[in-house]
Amino acid sequence: MKTLLSTYLHELHIPFTRSYADKLFAEHPHRYNLYGLSDMLSVYKIENAGIQVEDKDLRELASPFVAHVSNDFVVVRQMSDQAVDYVWREKEISVPVDEFKKLWSGIALVAEPGESSREPEYEKHRKTAFFNSVQKIGVIMILVVLLILGSWEHHLFSSVTGGFLLFINLAGVGVSFLLLLKQGKVQSEYTDKICSLFKQGDCNSVLESDAAKLWGMFSWSEIGLGYFISSLTLVVFYPQWMPYLMLVNLLSLPYTGWSVWYQYKVAKQWCPLCLSVLLLLWMTAVVNVFGQWRLPTFEMQDMLFVAILYLLPFLALHLLSERWFRSEQLENVKYELNNLKALDSVFLSQLELQPHYKVNPATSQIVWGCPQARLRITVLTNPHCNPCAQMHKRIGALLKEMGDKVCVQYIFSSFNKELEKSARFLLAVYQQENYERVEAIYNDWFAGKKYLGETYILTFDYDLESVEVNRELSKHKEWQLENRLTATPTVLINGYQLPDSYKIEDMRHFGDLNIN
């Protein structure tokens, strides 16, 4: 299902990938308010602002924009003197202007993309999404080719019975898969449409009941999908064992009667998807009776093979669906955790439990961002430390996102005396170059030039033994000795050590927070 963020980015014609945008939206602690959406748009470098429109005069706005409508948010695509067209949860709706004004609170979020407005690392994400799509299409094509070859080999296309069974089991795989999605609470437009066919239709009431699982472990949707996959495999590739399919189908029919009774008498709700599966089971039985009904030979080897054929897909589905649904539930857990962590009171309470170290502007002159910012992030880093290199990249992204709301301060450490020259080099670069040049050299160093060491340093002509370099390096050593810190990178937030439950990226929510 398309999120509000993805829908708005699409209307703004911003280069983005669904996977990144949906993940950003799913995990953002304020995804259900305009502040959160504004913050997410800032990740894409899109200038935006929330406004209150007096008298709900739509002429003051240019589409597309996000509007607060009936306690929810919609993306207004276009407007005319007669109607307003907007998107709400993937549904395209058009209403008269007067009716829209009755629903609209007058609050809107407007955005103005610029030339640099795009997804961070868009090309990388686009390639990943492309290859993922190719893999999915490739798997589907391989399965289709196998089905066609198997059907052709065993003359299913020229057999009425074989053709019907092929169609029924393909339909069964599709319906059972939708049923599995519904039971796993995975959003799907198709399942929602099918489940709303009946006036008293409610798939959730049936699928969330105690009877929806066999022995409280195996869901009927998993059993159904496993059954149809096994039956389809048997029909296409092992038609010699078709009598066993007929027998298994016959044994499944009593379940259909119980399922109808349970929905009618106990749940008092109908599940259209469940009823579709039951109908397909009876269609299979009818084809078997009027087609080529015969009893199996009950040879031990054949029985064992058929048993494995029916058990293996079902058990594999059970394990895979558990992991799949757990990952879906994990998205909600991440959102709830991020929502909790983003509360100022929670962050401050966690921060004040951490060790505090004395830091101030005089501690180190190696600063990035705005020196006057309320939020000061001090990083004890090492020029040759790989985690420090990763931290430098992450801090660079944070600085671009937060702008003048953060100040980042570096304190350099060295593994040993021999490698101290690297710290001197970075200090000299900062003192003797302009900001853009400093940023470029630091990025190159931490991106890989650090492995070249002195070879790379000698390509420049900086004075590594200047009075300023010696004085700054001494300050860094004294601070580290005084505070007895050796682990790198160590991140401090206004002097407090960053709590383990927080990442440097989480600081983007606290740029305006007063930290004592």
Side-chain angles (χ1 to χ4, degrees):
M1 184 176 179
K2 245 186 180 180
T3 63
L4 176 67
L5 176 62
S6 294
T7 302
Y8 196 29
L9 291 173
H10 175 74
E11 294 299 326
L12 290 169
H13 304 292
I14 300 297
F16 78 101
T17 58
R18 278 284 304 275
S19 56
Y20 181 87
D22 290 351
K23 185 175 186 294
L24 177 63
F25 182 85
E27 296 180 3
H28 199 282
H30 302 293
R31 66 187 184 191
Y32 294 127
N33 57 49
L34 285 186
Y35 167 76
L37 183 60
S38 173
D39 187 52
M40 287 182 266
L41 291 175
S42 297
V43 174
Y44 286 80
K45 297 183 181 179
I46 302 173
E47 295 291 331
N48 62 89
I51 59 174
Q52 173 78 55
V53 180
E54 296 296 333
D55 301 323
K56 300 183 181 180
D57 188 357
L58 290 169
R59 291 173 298 181
E60 296 183 14
L61 299 173
S63 58
F65 62 89
V66 175
H68 182 243
V69 172
S70 302
N71 295 320
D72 206 346
F73 295 101
V74 302
V75 177
V76 177
R77 301 180 63 191
Q78 57 185 9
M79 302 176 292
S80 66
D81 293 336
Q82 291 77 34
V84 175
D85 298 338
Y86 63 87
V87 181
W88 176 69
R89 299 186 181 182
E90 290 193 290
K91 297 178 182 177
E92 296 184 6
I93 302 171
S94 181
V95 297
V97 171
D98 291 338
E99 184 177 338
F100 180 79
K101 286 182 177 181
K102 291 177 183 178
L103 300 171
W104 182 34
S105 67
I107 297 173
L109 182 74
V110 294
E112 187 65 40
E115 292 183 2
S116 62
S117 297
R118 63 193 292 115
E119 185 170 285
E121 298 185 312
Y122 170 68
E123 293 301 329
K124 176 184 175 183
H125 297 160
R126 188 176 65 86
K127 288 179 182 177
T128 302
F130 173 75
F131 285 121
N132 287 340
S133 298
V134 169
Q135 288 176 11
K136 291 177 183 177
I137 294 171
V139 169
I140 293 172
M141 289 183 65
I142 290 171
L143 292 175
V144 169
V145 170
L146 286 174
L147 287 174
I148 292 173
L149 290 176
S151 301
W152 186 270
E153 175 72 20
H154 298 104
H155 310 290
L156 293 184
F157 297 125
S158 59
S159 166
V160 176
T161 301
F164 270 120
L165 289 175
L166 177 63
F167 168 77
I168 290 169
N169 285 293
L170 279 172
V173 169
V175 174
S176 299
F177 179 70
L178 293 177
L179 193 60
L180 187 64
L181 292 180
K182 191 67 176 177
Q183 191 156 18
K185 294 182 173 59
V186 178
Q187 289 290 337
S188 169
E189 181 183 356
Y190 303 107
T191 57
D192 292 340
K193 286 182 178 179
I194 295 172
C195 287
S196 60
L197 288 175
F198 298 163
K199 188 176 182 180
Q200 282 187 295
D202 186 0
C203 294
N204 291 327
S205 296
V206 178
L207 295 175
E208 291 175 6
S209 65
D210 294 337
K213 289 191 174 183
L214 178 65
W215 304 320
M217 293 177 57
F218 306 108
S219 70
W220 289 111
S221 55
E222 294 168 354
I223 296 172
L225 182 55
Y227 165 82
F228 282 113
I229 289 175
S230 299
S231 298
L232 181 64
T233 304
L234 195 148
V235 168
V236 174
F237 300 106
Y238 306 102
Q240 68 271 26
W241 286 312
M242 288 279 282
Y244 288 101
L245 181 148
M246 302 174 191
L247 181 62
V248 173
N249 172 253
L250 183 65
L251 294 173
S252 72
L253 295 182
Y255 163 77
T256 64
W258 172 82
S259 180
V260 171
W261 169 83
Y262 183 86
Q263 293 178 61
Y264 178 65
K265 286 289 187 181
V266 182
K268 301 187 186 304
Q269 293 284 345
W270 294 109
C271 170
L273 283 171
C274 306
L275 295 176
S276 300
V277 171
L278 304 185
L279 177 62
L280 291 170
L281 289 174
W282 276 100
M283 287 174 66
T284 303
V286 171
V287 171
N288 286 335
V289 169
F290 291 99
Q292 47 183 5
W293 172 261
R294 67 180 188 274
L295 287 172
T297 56
F298 295 109
E299 293 184 12
M300 183 59 67
Q301 185 176 352
D302 293 350
M303 291 172 62
L304 182 61
F305 182 87
V306 172
I308 293 173
L309 182 61
Y310 273 93
L311 284 173
L312 188 60
F314 153 64
L315 293 175
L317 277 169
H318 176 68
L319 294 174
L320 290 174
S321 62
E322 272 195 334
R323 291 193 175 189
W324 184 21
F325 296 148
R326 197 177 295 125
S327 67
E328 292 288 333
Q329 293 166 1
L330 187 60
E331 293 294 331
N332 292 327
V333 172
K334 284 182 179 178
Y335 162 69
E336 292 171 2
L337 177 61
N338 289 339
N339 196 20
L340 187 65
K341 286 167 57 179
L343 295 173
D344 292 351
S345 57
V346 173
F347 176 62
L348 286 174
S349 65
Q350 290 294 304
L351 195 65
E352 290 169 359
L353 293 175
Q354 306 305 310
H356 184 270
Y357 303 92
K358 184 180 179 181
V359 290
N360 54 55
T363 303
S364 170
Q365 68 170 201
I366 313 301
V367 295
W368 314 88
C370 176
Q372 292 78 38
R374 294 180 181 179
L375 182 66
R376 176 173 289 268
I377 300 176
T378 304
V379 183
L380 176 63
T381 187
N382 186 312
H384 291 278
C385 155
N386 286 327
C388 297
Q390 291 297 319
M391 180 60 70
H392 178 77
K393 184 178 179 181
R394 293 164 64 188
I395 284 174
L398 184 70
L399 284 165
K400 288 180 181 178
E401 190 173 342
M402 294 190 67
D404 61 358
K405 290 189 175 183
V406 65
C407 173
V408 177
Q409 183 180 48
Y410 276 9
I411 299 175
F412 285 115
S413 171
S414 297
F415 287 124
N416 52 52
K417 190 72 174 176
E418 288 72 21
L419 294 176
E420 192 176 279
K421 190 172 185 178
S422 301
R424 288 180 173 276
F425 167 69
L426 294 176
L427 290 174
V429 169
Y430 192 90
Q431 293 172 348
Q432 300 169 33
E433 288 285 4
N434 60 53
Y435 185 85
E436 289 74 17
R437 183 71 173 146
V438 170
E439 186 178 24
I441 293 175
Y442 271 54
N443 289 343
D444 287 344
W445 176 269
F446 284 109
K449 298 297 184 183
K450 61 189 177 72
Y451 296 114
L452 300 177
E454 191 168 353
T455 304
Y456 178 70
I457 294 172
L458 291 176
T459 60
F460 299 92
D461 189 26
Y462 297 120
D463 184 359
L464 306 188
E465 299 292 339
S466 68
V467 174
E468 291 80 6
V469 169
N470 285 324
R471 184 186 301 119
E472 186 67 21
L473 185 60
S474 295
K475 284 163 52 179
H476 291 204
K477 288 181 176 179
E478 288 171 9
W479 184 90
Q480 188 178 3
L481 187 63
E482 180 184 343
N483 291 281
R484 299 179 182 178
L485 287 174
T486 57
T488 56
T490 295
V491 179
L492 308 179
I493 308 299
N494 288 39
Y496 292 97
Q497 190 165 330
L498 181 68
D500 291 338
S501 55
Y502 285 84
K503 299 182 294 184
I504 192 75
E505 290 79 6
D506 295 325
M507 298 305 102
R508 58 201 289 265
H509 303 299
F510 306 113
D512 296 319
L513 185 62
N514 285 318
I515 303 174
N516 296 327

